[in-house]
Amino acid sequence: LQTPAAPSSSLMSTVRAINLVLPEIEVHLAGSSIDGQLILNLRTTLVDPVVKVELVGRGFLRWLEEDNPELDYHKSTACTNQALYISKSKNFNIEDGWLDSGVHSFDFQFSFPSGIPSTFTSKIGCISYCVQGTCYSRQIVLAKEERCLLLQGTAGDRRKHVKDTAPVVVEARKDVVYFCCFRHGSVILRISLEKSVFCPGETIVFKTDIANRTCKYVRKVVFAVHCIVLYSGFSSRGEQRSLEDRSEVTRLESRTDTAPFEAMRVTSALVLPKPMPVTSSLVENKIMAFRYELVGTSELPCTTSTIVGRVPIII
């Protein structure tokens, strides 16, 4: 076998700089387009150049789980999966087969499909999008630049049947016993929303009624939007596995100081980030499914009890 010849230093030093110029858009929307330029700065003339721009969106997940819990020794197996959401490329036509020294600009445009998911990152999986510009000659890469994009997915026609004006009320009750004084009591947490469907970047405004029927103060309630992700992967033996994981999207601590045997109403607001995945199924996102809950939590003083109210919402 012949060892391939190393690229000459003169060829590798031909490109002074390569830059991607993209619009100053913080978050791109599924179904929209992106216009940009690839700027190539050459020190000397470049013969037989290939200049290309690519738009790629991928999903990947990986987690470890115990292979057989009944064994006396620990043996874990990796569950993985991946998905390709978009792959587009543009090769620029180089007239006469060479580029003179100096600065050259190449315009490009890509369209995002309407059904692709949002940018997402967790300890288990990620969905990412990037634009990559490459210049090479004689199968030798001379320069490359990659820029990551934030993309917001959309629900499209899937949510037309959902009535977002319907109010939602969830009530949670926790009974407690104070053994120090042999007294019983309870706390009721009622969370009310005017609607259940929200968009990324929107503010969720909700009311919380706290009925404190104990002899202690209820000092605070912690509110959070939880994202529950169902991951679908395959083991090394090709067996399909699934894992559900929960994480906080946004959080708010509210001081209540509800006195014993008193009631209080608190109005709170949580701002949703953007981008964030929309509520979906495995069929839509291939390897991940997303759902959400608005969760209110309060620790009851002088006890180990916690009251939790969960309100399902749709993003």
Side-chain angles (χ1 to χ4, degrees), residues 127-258:
I127 298 173
S128 61
Y129 298 87
C130 70
V131 175
Q132 180 177 279
T134 310
C135 174
Y136 55 95
S137 177
R138 302 170 189 172
Q139 298 184 343
I140 299 172
V141 176
L142 305 180
K144 180 187 294 184
E145 185 182 32
E146 183 177 287
R147 298 276 295 277
C148 293
L149 305 175
L150 293 178
L151 187 127
Q152 174 60 60
T154 59
D157 296 335
R158 307 196 303 268
R159 298 290 172 235
K160 284 186 176 180
H161 65 282
V162 178
K163 295 182 179 180
D164 61 352
T165 56
V168 180
V169 179
V170 169
E171 182 175 290
R173 177 190 174 111
K174 188 71 175 183
D175 295 319
V176 296
V177 179
Y178 293 98
F179 292 102
C180 59
C181 52
F182 302 101
R183 301 190 65 172
H184 296 256
S186 64
V187 175
I188 299 175
L189 198 68
R190 183 183 294 109
I191 304 175
S192 307
L193 285 78
E194 293 185 354
K195 62 177 184 176
S196 61
V197 181
F198 300 90
C199 296
E202 190 176 352
T203 300
I204 302 177
V205 179
F206 54 96
K207 295 180 175 63
T208 305
D209 293 291
I210 305 166
N212 182 12
R213 299 173 182 172
T214 71
C215 58
K216 305 292 182 180
Y217 275 82
V218 176
R219 296 296 184 183
K220 70 177 181 179
V221 181
V222 177
F223 301 102
V225 173
H226 287 193
C227 177
I228 302 99
V229 188
L230 177 63
Y231 298 95
S232 177
F234 293 91
S235 68
S236 57
R237 295 190 295 270
E239 300 168 333
Q240 189 166 13
R241 303 289 178 84
S242 63
L243 174 69
E244 188 170 276
D245 185 61
R246 176 186 296 263
S247 61
E248 280 190 7
V249 175
T250 183
R251 178 187 179 94
L252 170 69
E253 291 190 6
S254 180
R255 295 289 300 185
T256 58
D257 291 327
T258 308

